[in-house]
Amino acid sequence: MSIQIAKSAGFCFGVSRAVDAVEEAAGQGKTVVTLGPIIHNRHVVDKFDGMGVRVIEKPEEALPGMTVIIRSHGVSRDVYQRLEQQGVEIIDATCPFVKRIHGIVEKADLAGELPIIMGTRSHPEVEGIAGWCGHCKIFETPEELEEWAKSGEISPETPICMVSQTTSTEISWKKSVQIAKKQFTNAKIFDTICKATESRQKEAAELSASSEAMVVVGDAKSSNTGRLAMICRERCQNVVLVDNASELKPERFKGVAKVGITAGASTPAWIIKEVNKTMSEIINADAVQEESFEALLEQSIKTLNTGDKVMGIVTGIGNTEIQVDLGTKHAGYIPYDEVSADPSVKPEDILHVGDEIEVFVVRVNDQEGTVQLSKKKLDGMKIWDDMAAYAEEKATVEGTITEENKGGLVATVKGIRVFIPASQSGVAKGGDMAAMLGQTVQLKVTEVNRARRRVIGSIRAVNSEARKASQEKLWAEIEEGKKYHGTVKSLTSYGAFVDIGGVDGMVHVSELSWNRIKTPAEVVSVGDEIDVYVISFDAEKRKISLGYKTAEMNPWNQFMTAYNVGDVVTAKVVKLMTFGAFAEIMPGVDGLIHISQIADRRIGKPEDVLAEGQEVQVKITDVDAENKRISLSIRALLEPAKEEEEAEVEAEAEVEEAAEVAEVAEEAAE
């Protein structure tokens, strides 16, 4: 003879969370009341009653100063608002899965859709869901939904939003979904059956199908316990629903070789344990079940303690937590906010069903059979070990700048906040540190205080190290004439200092431009990136002389490339002399317009015709490349025009003369 207990029997996450909330509040000496029985189990309610926790039925029964705990079933929006008006502390223990349904129907109602809820009308959870929308329809069976559609009670064109009570059966839900898709043209369907409920019902179905008798443990008033009994009866003829071990009758199990035990979500572990013990005595099967529930429970109590590091396997991913199988009877779960220290990380992206993970035990509740776990804490412990190692080894790590304050910057390194003092930020004094926000940087961890959870880092140390390495490389490879791409770091009256890779070289003002300049600022600015070349260097004194101007920049070379004798150009008069005028052809290149070439007539002085700053059309008449002299002429452009005018006059005279000759010939002919 054997006894087999369903692994998923007992408290679900939502119920466990609500019970924990009551215990914690009562333990703090608060005046605690629950709005309705915290769960559908009189034994748990009686236990809390002994701790001074009362049950109230209406918000108005709560007095100012009290702590009111909303059970996992949740409440309507109206009830919540009435509670707020009572001046009480509210602890909302509504199951996160139920809370999600509230949001779905509320949003649907605002969008003009009709919320349709599958569930028991009188159930507190269903009443609460209905209270988050102005108008809704509730059906208890797929047949009822189908009748609505056929009778026209709901038009096929009506936009509907269908949800389910979390403890509904999967079979009824699937039938209802098929009907909704077939009967309504505009239906939004949300599968809101709790996965823990789904798993419990599936396991109960499989266990009852292979057992000669089934014991369903739980309060008869509990909806999910009633559904478990119904599922078991569909597959097993001998099903017993008991509230506790005292209700077990030996005569019901005569001749039975295999018994299955399951329990509703509102059944505490200690009641399941008692049922198992009593059943073992009834059929004398204490030693038959190798891994009985009691043995598993005792094992879990011995092996799981707060602060332990344990291995587990991910078995489910819910909307608010990750379920983990620890190989014990305890139901392990990781709240979403305990998965990762990075708020941008989605749990479902880093954890998958079947993954084996190491976790940290945050809290063990042996009575309820649950264990709160944390991946974030364990990762954090490992990271702190890493931080200490980084500091000791003076290693360079990568981080992202997330914050700026008066003292400096804050970077995130593997989820740990690292403070970087302003002096270690690598930003010059008075510089804009805010410009670094969001940047990924290299830094060194210089101090770690695990007790105070403080880490200090330095970007400057990395920059200094990189600069030193760059300097050594540069001095090892430098040579005259070598070109570098550098950054202007500072300006003086006599030149510009340029960083060419961790080393500053100086470009003298005379090497900045082919033109005459008064200050380096006329050519370059701090921060400019420019190409320079080495004129000379002294490795011993660590001095480098750089050049910026090149032959290609030489204005004379540019002129010789671009212009030829005979070209007509626009030039600007820059200086007037007694013998002529100098005109700028291009920056750095002037030509002379001799006084004889300024006009097509004799003039006394150049200013009679020209003025400084005036732009004129000139012709290049001669280029002395050796002495870099250019001769220009305005007159050369005027004389051809005069010759053309005289030619036109002569042509007109010839035409007139020919006409006169023809006229004389005509007269003679007459």
Side-chain angles (χ1 to χ4, degrees), residues 571-576 581-584 610-616:
K572 183 170 74 174
V573 177
V574 293
K575 194 171 185 180
L576 297 174
F582 286 98
E584 183 185 69
L610 301 174
E612 288 187 7
Q614 180 181 349
E615 289 190 348
V616 292

Side-chain angles (χ1 to χ4, degrees), residues 305-340:
N305 297 288
T306 299
D308 284 352
K309 299 175 185 177
V310 295
M311 297 300 295
I313 296 175
V314 176
T315 57
I317 299 178
N319 293 327
T320 59
E321 40 80 27
I322 307 292
Q323 290 93 39
V324 180
D325 181 1
L326 301 173
T328 69
K329 177 54 189 172
H330 290 84
Y333 67 93
I334 310 173
Y336 266 17
D337 58 2
E338 288 296 327
V339 172
S340 172

Side-chain angles (χ1 to χ4, degrees), residues 62-76:
L63 301 177
M66 285 184 172
T67 296
V68 181
I69 298 180
I70 297 174
R71 55 188 173 178
S72 59
H73 298 118
V75 295
S76 67

Side-chain angles (χ1 to χ4, degrees), residues 21 25 30 39 57 70 151 154 167 178 216 265 271 296 329 345 482-483 492 515 542 553 579 585 594 604 668:
K30 297 179 179 180
I39 59 173
E57 299 299 331
I70 297 174
S151 66
I154 302 177
T167 54
Q178 289 176 351
V216 180
I271 290 181
L296 290 173
K329 177 54 189 172
V345 169
K482 190 167 184 176
K483 295 179 180 180
T492 66
N515 301 325
R542 299 278 171 165
M553 295 181 187
F579 53 84
I585 301 170
H594 191 270

Side-chain angles (χ1 to χ4, degrees), residues 137 139 141-155 179-180 183-184:
K137 296 280 287 181
F139 68 95
T141 64
E143 292 72 26
E144 187 177 354
L145 176 64
E146 191 168 28
E147 183 60 35
W148 285 351
K150 288 181 178 179
S151 66
E153 187 171 340
I154 302 177
S155 170
I179 293 168
Q183 300 294 338
F184 302 102

Side-chain angles (χ1 to χ4, degrees), residues 389-423:
Y390 294 151
E392 187 177 343
E393 297 166 7
K394 298 180 180 179
T396 298
V397 297
E398 189 175 272
T400 302
I401 303 299
T402 57
E403 187 182 327
E404 182 226 355
N405 54 44
K406 280 200 297 187
L409 298 168
V410 174
T412 298
V413 178
K414 293 188 174 181
I416 298 291
R417 282 169 53 89
V418 178
F419 176 65
I420 304 167
S423 62

Side-chain angles (χ1 to χ4, degrees), residues 500-564:
I500 57 173
V503 178
D504 288 352
M506 191 193 76
V507 183
H508 192 270
V509 66
S510 63
E511 293 296 331
L512 280 170
S513 176
W514 289 96
N515 301 325
R516 286 187 178 181
I517 57 173
K518 293 181 180 179
T519 66
E522 293 179 43
V523 180
V524 294
S525 302
V526 173
D528 283 357
E529 293 187 8
I530 59 175
D531 291 318
V532 293
Y533 58 92
V534 178
I535 295 176
S536 63
F537 64 93
D538 187 331
E540 225 175 274
K541 294 182 179 179
R542 299 278 171 165
K543 289 185 177 180
I544 303 174
S545 178
L546 301 171
Y548 174 62
K549 66 181 185 181
T550 62
E552 291 78 14
M553 295 181 187
N554 189 333
W556 179 260
N557 292 343
Q558 292 178 5
F559 169 79
M560 293 297 289
T561 301
Y563 298 101
N564 296 298

